[in-house]
Amino acid sequence: MIEECLVVEFAVTGDDCPLATATRETDTTVEAKPPQRRADGNALLQFTGDPAIAPVLDADERIRYLHASSTDERVNYRCLSKHPCVVHQLTDAGFMAEALSYADGVETYTGAVVGYDVLEGVLEAAGEAVGVTLERIYPLGSEDDEAVARRWGFTPAQEEALRLANEMGYFEVPRRADAGDVAAELGIGKSAFLERLRRGQAALMAQVFD
């Protein structure tokens, strides 16, 4: 019998990994895939971010190489990092990472765990890592057929930004709340909120007009 699958979101502060450092220094946001740990101990990172982070990453001695390709106003990056990733400590305990976001030095991990026993182990691992706190947890609905609830193609963090923006009147004319108001309610920076909103809206529009 398959145990209950739980969607979990962690926030990480105080980490000095290259992506966190780059977003902190440039006040930008990075959306990343879960890092792949290689046999030599290095982590393969694949992420999308602002062009401004390239010089910061290029100057970081922990980055072995950096490849960038432009798409519209965003840049797709691939690199090898010698810095150990906090998310691997959670993954080793049973956390199935789906999406990572870095905004002004704060990391957000969204993924799933199977069963409360596994969750307990993941939380123990989180307690031993740097600045990891549990932000959200909820059961994965039986109607959802993906590892993380993405019927509309966006992450739980993007869904939360869209829902709260709607509740606070961000989409009304005239607006009852601006981006700063919604970001403050979410507990994130304005640029991070706008990035989640933009990606969530893009995913939603792609589904609607498909």
Side-chain angles (χ1 to χ4, degrees):
M1 184 68 176
I2 298 176
E3 296 184 71
E4 183 172 31
C5 191
L6 306 166
V7 177
V8 184
E9 185 176 290
F10 291 99
V12 183
T13 57
D15 188 17
D16 63 346
C17 78
L19 294 186
T21 300
T23 59
R24 188 182 300 116
E25 293 185 7
T26 58
D27 191 25
T28 58
T29 300
V30 161
E31 298 290 341
K33 296 180 180 180
Q36 302 174 37
R37 183 164 46 187
R38 303 195 336 166
D40 59 7
N42 294 305
L44 174 61
L45 309 178
Q46 300 181 66
F47 52 96
T48 302
D50 190 278
I53 67 172
V56 178
L57 291 173
D58 197 40
D60 194 320
E61 295 182 352
R62 297 169 297 177
I63 299 296
R64 289 187 56 191
Y65 73 80
L66 179 67
H67 177 268
S69 59
S70 299
T71 304
D72 298 326
E73 297 180 355
R74 306 289 291 174
V75 181
N76 297 318
Y77 295 93
R78 287 179 174 80
C79 70
L80 269 185
S81 171
K82 295 184 286 186
H83 183 88
C85 298
V86 173
V87 70
H88 285 142
Q89 295 176 250
L90 307 183
T91 301
D92 290 343
F95 177 61
M96 297 179 287
E98 175 72 16
L100 284 67
S101 176
Y102 300 75
D104 195 21
V106 178
E107 304 164 47
T108 301
Y109 305 155
T110 304
V113 297
V114 179
Y116 285 93
D117 289 344
V118 175
L119 175 62
E120 184 177 348
V122 173
L123 292 178
E124 288 179 3
E128 298 172 357
V130 177
V132 181
T133 56
L134 178 64
E135 293 292 295
R136 300 179 67 205
I137 178 172
Y138 55 90
L140 183 66
S142 59
E143 72 277 8
D144 297 313
D145 59 0
E146 295 185 353
V148 174
R150 282 191 171 192
R151 281 175 295 165
W152 293 103
F154 42 66
T155 67
Q158 293 162 4
E159 177 186 0
E160 182 182 31
L162 284 165
R163 179 180 290 110
L164 187 58
N166 183 60
E167 292 175 354
M168 294 181 65
Y170 177 83
F171 298 113
E172 295 180 12
V173 180
R175 285 177 172 162
R176 290 191 291 108
D178 60 23
D181 296 329
V182 184
E185 188 69 22
L186 287 168
I188 61 177
K190 180 179 176 180
S191 62
F193 162 69
L194 291 174
E195 179 67 14
R196 291 184 187 182
L197 190 69
R198 185 184 73 83
R199 288 182 173 274
Q201 288 175 315
L204 187 60
M205 292 301 101
Q207 291 288 331
V208 171
F209 293 108
D210 242 0

